[in-house]
Every structure is written in structure tokens, then in C-alpha cells.
Amino acid sequence: MATIHSAMRAYTLEGAPTVSALTEGRRGAGPGASLALDANAGFSPAALCQRLNRQLFSSTPAEKYATLFLGIYDSASRSLGYTNAGHLAPIILKPDGSLRRLEAGGTVIGLFPDVSFQEAEVQLAPGDVFLAYSDGVTEPENDFGEFGEARLIELVQKNRQLPLQRI
């Protein structure tokens, strides 16, 4: 995680990668090649995951990999651009009780040398709740069994009117 965190900070400080910049920068380049990125071209979560994957694959032991959900929220348009690299899909809970899973993406990062990721965008409406979680939340068990995703969703839906800190 420290490698991913520091790489993300470095990549975003030097200029946000775009899918086209990533593809153009890779032609004829080997693993770990640096990319010339256009900082004005816009942020691409999928391109950043591709770049993180190459770095993790080339700089960590073969058994090391990570799951990652990467999104960027534009508050002016209420849009969330994202890619999901093998992580449990976050869920958007609608006020009417319906839900949408954010699954566009690909496999885990760091396990394979050359993977690509799908990217998607979703509009968030007033009253929507964005729920991102790890298996550490849903898999704990007690005498009654596993906590589970259904119970998590039910709990958040029941308390959706509370302030975020309380939810």
C-alpha cells in the first residue's frame, strides 16, 4: 500500500495520466518506462491504474498485488469517473431503495504485466449515498454468522438520513 500511495501522489503531482497519453507513451517502451503526460488532457482513473499496475508488477514480488477502486468526483457536475481494479464494487444507494454497483474496471493491480481497465462515469443525484467498503467490513463473523453485504446495505439504507459521520 505504501508503494501505491507514494506512486499515486507522484503521478498526480507530475500531471494526471490520460488513456491516450498512456497508450502513446507505451509504444515500444518496456516495463517501467516513463510516460510523457499532458496535464491539461484530463484525469483518467483507468490510465492511472494501468500505470500503477506496471510499476507494482515490476517492483514487487510475484505474489504481491492489490485491489483498488479509483474515482474522481466533479462536484460541479455531480459526476464520478471511476475504474475498479478487482475491489469489491462500491454501491450507490438511491433514495427509492434501488442500488447500482460500480463494477467497470478490470483485474487486480500488480499480478499481471500488461492489463487494461475499463472506465465509467456515473451521475450522483441529491440523496444518493456512495458506499465503498472492504471485505473487512462484511466478512467478520460471530455466533450468528457473517455480517455480510446485505446487512451492510440494510444498515446504511435504514440510517441514510443521518449525517455522514453517524452513518
Side-chain angles (χ1 to χ4, degrees):
M1 285 309 301
T3 300
I4 293 169
H5 185 257
S6 61
M8 293 265 298
R9 289 183 56 85
Y11 295 160
T12 56
L13 288 174
E14 76 178 28
T18 64
V19 172
S20 62
L22 183 67
T23 303
E24 291 166 13
R26 290 192 43 142
R27 288 193 186 119
S34 65
L35 303 175
L37 302 173
D38 179 1
N40 298 318
F43 182 85
S44 170
L48 186 50
C49 276
Q50 282 180 267
R51 193 167 185 195
L52 283 168
N53 177 71
R54 277 199 323 278
Q55 177 171 348
L56 212 60
F57 181 82
S58 65
S59 65
T60 59
E63 69 278 1
K64 299 289 184 183
Y65 65 90
T67 67
L68 174 73
F69 176 87
L70 180 60
I72 184 163
Y73 180 66
D74 180 343
S75 60
S77 66
R78 300 185 66 95
S79 65
L80 175 71
Y82 75 91
T83 192
N84 189 345
H87 198 64
L88 293 172
I91 300 169
I92 297 175
L93 302 169
K94 299 289 194 180
D96 67 3
S98 64
L99 57 91
R100 177 177 179 180
R101 295 178 193 282
L102 304 183
E103 297 175 314
T107 190
V108 298
I109 59 172
L111 195 57
F112 305 105
D114 192 27
V115 295
S116 60
F117 298 88
Q118 295 175 331
E119 189 170 307
E121 185 173 304
V122 37
Q123 292 297 128
L124 298 174
D128 286 352
V129 174
F130 175 80
L131 176 60
Y133 59 96
S134 72
D135 57 7
V137 172
T138 56
E139 290 182 1
E141 294 185 35
N142 62 16
D143 293 340
F144 302 103
E146 189 175 85
F147 182 74
E149 183 186 81
R151 192 167 170 197
L152 175 64
I153 292 169
E154 177 186 342
L155 187 65
V156 174
Q157 286 285 36
K158 183 190 283 187
N159 293 286
R160 67 179 304 116
Q161 77 287 352
L162 295 175
L164 180 60
Q165 295 80 2
R166 291 287 314 269
I167 294 174

